[in-house]
Amino acid sequence: SIKMTYQRFVEIGRVAYVAYGDDKGKLVVIVDVIDQNRALVDGPCSDVRRKDMNFKALQLTSFTIKIGPSARSKAVRKAWEAAEIPAKWAQTSWAKKIDRDNKRANLTDFDRFNLMKVKQARNRLINVEFGKLRKAARKAPAQPKKLTSKAKK
């Protein structure tokens, strides 16, 4: 059997991440497809009012919720909460990477200095242990090399 390589399709109920625009960084649900360039989206739990949005501004996630075409906000909210989308989203590596990048961008100068010092201490420990292993390897007698089948011939 042939397996489809692409799994995230534009469909009613697909949860998407807004990549840019006024609602950048929020999750929305595709409620209806308007045309080949735009969709009607709603983000009842992420403070995104129902509006049309260009597909170029959306990044599709692997989550879908069960809603009908042009479902009302109340129905979308119920399905959103039943599917526990915020909890599932928080567990993805995508969301963790976004959080990590935001945290790094909001570091103060003193935080960056402390981070540098912690990294220096960690690298110092690694280098000391590596030096001990290298020294022990030099003192140990060299192991005789095993002959391979090519070397025997």
Side-chain angles (χ1 to χ4, degrees):
S1 69
I2 298 173
K3 186 176 181 196
M4 300 280 291
T5 55
Y6 190 72
Q7 300 294 324
R8 299 177 185 175
F9 297 106
V10 173
E11 58 185 318
I12 294 172
R14 174 69 63 182
V15 178
Y17 176 79
V18 181
Y20 62 85
D22 295 337
D23 297 313
K24 179 182 179 189
K26 296 181 180 177
L27 291 178
V28 295
V29 179
I30 298 176
V31 178
D32 212 346
V33 177
I34 298 172
D35 59 25
Q36 66 184 12
N37 295 318
R38 297 176 303 147
L40 183 66
V41 298
D42 194 1
C45 298
S46 56
D47 298 327
V48 178
R49 310 240 351 146
R50 180 176 290 234
K51 61 181 169 182
D52 66 314
M53 195 170 282
N54 198 317
F55 286 127
K56 292 179 183 177
L58 299 176
Q59 295 174 348
L60 303 177
T61 67
S62 57
F63 307 121
T64 56
I65 60 174
K66 293 268 188 191
I67 57 171
S70 299
R72 295 181 180 227
S73 290
K74 189 174 179 182
V76 173
R77 177 183 291 276
K78 272 188 181 176
W80 180 280
E81 290 169 351
E84 298 175 349
I85 297 298
K88 289 179 182 176
W89 171 251
Q91 292 173 352
T92 63
S93 58
W94 186 358
K96 290 175 185 174
K97 180 180 183 294
I98 291 169
D99 289 342
R100 187 180 64 236
D101 290 347
N102 288 339
K103 196 178 290 184
R104 189 169 288 164
N106 293 327
L107 287 177
T108 63
D109 188 38
F110 187 63
D111 291 336
R112 281 190 289 277
F113 173 76
N114 285 334
L115 180 65
M116 177 190 72
K117 287 300 190 183
V118 168
K119 283 183 175 181
Q120 285 177 346
R122 182 196 61 193
N123 289 337
R124 197 172 298 116
L125 288 172
I126 291 170
N127 287 331
V128 166
E129 287 300 315
F130 180 71
K132 287 178 186 175
L133 290 172
R134 188 174 2 161
K135 190 175 182 181
R138 282 188 193 151
K139 285 186 178 179
Q143 299 289 331
K145 293 186 176 179
K146 294 183 181 178
L147 294 174
T148 60
S149 59
K150 290 182 182 178
K152 289 179 184 177
K153 292 181 182 178

